[in-house]
Amino acid sequence: MLGPVVAGTEPARAVDHGQMGQTWPIIEPDLMSVIKAKLDEAQRTGKIDDLNREFARKAEQRVMRPVPVAGIRAAEQDRSWEYDPAIVVENDIRDHKGNLIAAAGQRVNPFDTVRLTKKLIFINGDSQAELDWAMARGTERDAKIIMVNGSPFEQMKAHKRRFYFDQSGVLTQRFGIRHTPALVEQEGQILLVSEKAIPRGKSS
């Protein structure tokens, strides 16, 4: 049964308005094929070998001379403070047999069981004054010299002892060090952190 016809309405119909603008076919090239073609071309021209050599050169430079720690300047005045290494345990810590080592909420200080056997000395390795100051603080058995700038490898070769680098400023940030040279040493259950203003030559 047909419904009522409403006056003034017409049935819907499709209308061809023609082509409104220029169209192009959709083409999606195989991305891996494009990459392979570029690599083949780079290999053919020798460019890929040049890129590999440049990459190796920059990688070696970063190893020999790491990125300097940002925000560290030469100390112009002495400054010292205490650093407490103790932490508060958030959850129970148990050994592999289930025995309780530390309970949640317990304050744990690593110096209850271990000691900092060597002083930590932070320097700008490009400053001869800071390097001389650090070397005078003791032998490799007494101190670890940690650079925030410079090349540990160059100094290892020159002084026949290990030098370290504070990669990404992890240690200086932890201890709050902003100037060099700086010294970290244990005093009882805490660490004493000191920044030292030292005499400097024109180039240091």
Side-chain angles (χ1 to χ4, degrees):
M1 179 176 178
L2 298 175
V5 176
V6 180
T9 62
E10 297 182 3
R13 63 179 183 276
V15 178
D16 183 1
H17 293 287
Q19 182 171 315
M20 304 300 291
Q22 187 174 359
T23 60
W24 292 269
I26 298 175
I27 301 175
E28 296 182 356
D30 184 345
L31 182 59
M32 293 304 295
S33 296
V34 172
I35 293 174
K36 184 178 184 304
K38 289 184 178 295
L39 287 174
D40 288 344
E41 176 64 15
Q43 184 71 55
R44 185 185 66 79
T45 60
K47 185 176 181 180
I48 196 168
D49 294 330
D50 293 338
L51 291 173
N52 283 335
R53 282 191 291 269
E54 179 65 12
F55 176 80
R57 184 185 67 81
K58 289 183 177 180
E60 182 180 2
Q61 284 181 337
R62 283 289 176 257
V63 171
M64 296 298 294
R65 176 174 281 271
V67 177
V69 178
I72 305 293
R73 300 193 300 268
E76 296 181 351
Q77 61 183 10
D78 289 352
R79 188 169 75 102
S80 63
W81 61 96
E82 295 177 351
Y83 176 85
D84 186 351
I87 62 169
V88 176
V89 179
E90 295 184 358
N91 302 294
D92 289 350
I93 299 176
R94 299 180 181 273
D95 64 16
H96 65 286
K97 293 183 178 180
N99 299 315
L100 184 66
I101 298 175
Q106 180 178 343
R107 190 174 183 274
V108 177
N109 190 324
F111 290 154
D112 290 337
T113 55
V114 298
R115 289 191 57 79
L116 183 66
T117 58
K118 298 181 181 182
K119 294 174 286 190
L120 307 181
I121 302 174
F122 295 84
I123 66 167
N124 174 355
D126 285 342
S127 166
Q128 189 61 49
E130 293 191 22
L131 182 60
D132 292 343
W133 184 88
M135 295 291 290
R137 304 276 80 75
T139 67
E140 189 174 344
R141 297 181 59 182
D142 306 313
K144 284 186 176 181
I145 300 178
I146 306 169
M147 294 183 180
V148 299
N149 185 34
S151 172
F153 293 94
E154 290 178 5
Q155 299 305 332
M156 285 182 194
K157 187 182 299 184
H159 297 282
K160 309 303 180 187
R161 66 178 286 177
R162 291 187 182 91
F163 287 79
Y164 302 85
F165 199 93
D166 186 18
Q167 296 280 0
S168 302
V170 173
L171 293 176
T172 47
Q173 288 179 23
R174 177 178 299 173
F175 296 132
I177 294 170
R178 292 291 175 267
H179 304 88
T180 55
L183 176 65
V184 178
E185 52 191 339
Q186 183 176 351
E187 285 199 358
Q189 299 298 95
I190 62 169
L191 292 172
L192 180 62
V193 186
S194 303
E195 296 175 350
K196 301 292 186 179
I198 63 173
R200 297 174 183 273
K202 292 181 180 180
S203 60
S204 296

